[in-house]
Amino acid sequence: MGKGRSNNGGSNTKQTKRGEKATTCSHPKPMKKELMRAKNINATIMILRNFLSPQDITSIRQCGPTGTLQNHDRSEELDFEHIVYRFETPLKHNNGKLYDRLLDAMVMADDELWRGIPVAGTP
């Protein structure tokens, strides 16, 4: 593992990109990680069951759909027909700990599935 990534052996804490310990579950139920592979295309997603508490979900819902409307949030080559509301800024302002946990979960998923996010300190 490189700088900013850690193998925590299945515990509910992990090293963040800033070197801090972060809890990956905010309520007593244990988090369960599942991988789903697509049948017709080469794609895998990670599901983190019990990652969000009811309070976390309420906090996220309070940020949208009043966030910034962005009609196309992916590569122009991809054909997506959905409306996107960006809520990163309101969430970071209203619940910075949850914002950090969500980003840490995204880095963890990338680290295990795709390795597309550069390791901290690399070009």
Side-chain angles (χ1 to χ4, degrees):
M1 298 258 162
K3 182 179 177 185
R5 299 175 190 257
S6 69
N7 182 357
N8 63 25
S11 83
N12 281 343
T13 62
K14 65 180 281 306
Q15 196 83 13
T16 68
K17 56 188 169 271
R18 293 182 294 276
E20 304 159 345
K21 293 244 182 215
T23 302
T24 57
C25 188
S26 65
H27 53 95
K29 290 184 180 179
M31 183 179 72
K32 182 178 179 188
K33 181 173 57 174
E34 300 175 24
L35 298 180
M36 284 184 65
R37 301 190 195 296
K39 293 179 182 177
N40 299 326
I41 60 171
N42 183 18
T44 303
I45 63 167
M46 182 180 288
I47 300 168
L48 301 176
R49 300 209 185 271
N50 299 321
F51 176 73
L52 297 173
S53 70
Q55 295 83 7
D56 293 336
I57 294 167
T58 297
S59 186
I60 292 168
R61 291 186 73 173
Q62 289 173 345
C63 295
T66 59
T68 305
L69 177 63
Q70 188 167 346
N71 289 327
H72 206 283
D73 70 331
R74 302 287 191 265
S75 167
E76 293 297 326
E77 296 174 9
L78 299 174
D79 185 24
F80 285 99
E81 296 191 23
H82 62 276
I83 297 172
V84 176
Y85 291 94
R86 306 302 300 244
F87 63 92
E88 299 92 331
T89 301
L91 182 61
K92 188 174 184 177
H93 177 74
N94 295 335
N95 192 336
K97 287 182 181 183
L98 176 57
Y99 172 86
D100 287 342
R101 281 187 36 242
L102 288 169
L103 290 183
D104 289 341
M106 287 185 260
V107 169
M108 177 189 68
D110 178 77
D111 192 43
E112 291 187 29
L113 297 175
W114 311 290
R115 304 210 45 91
I117 300 173
V119 176
T122 62

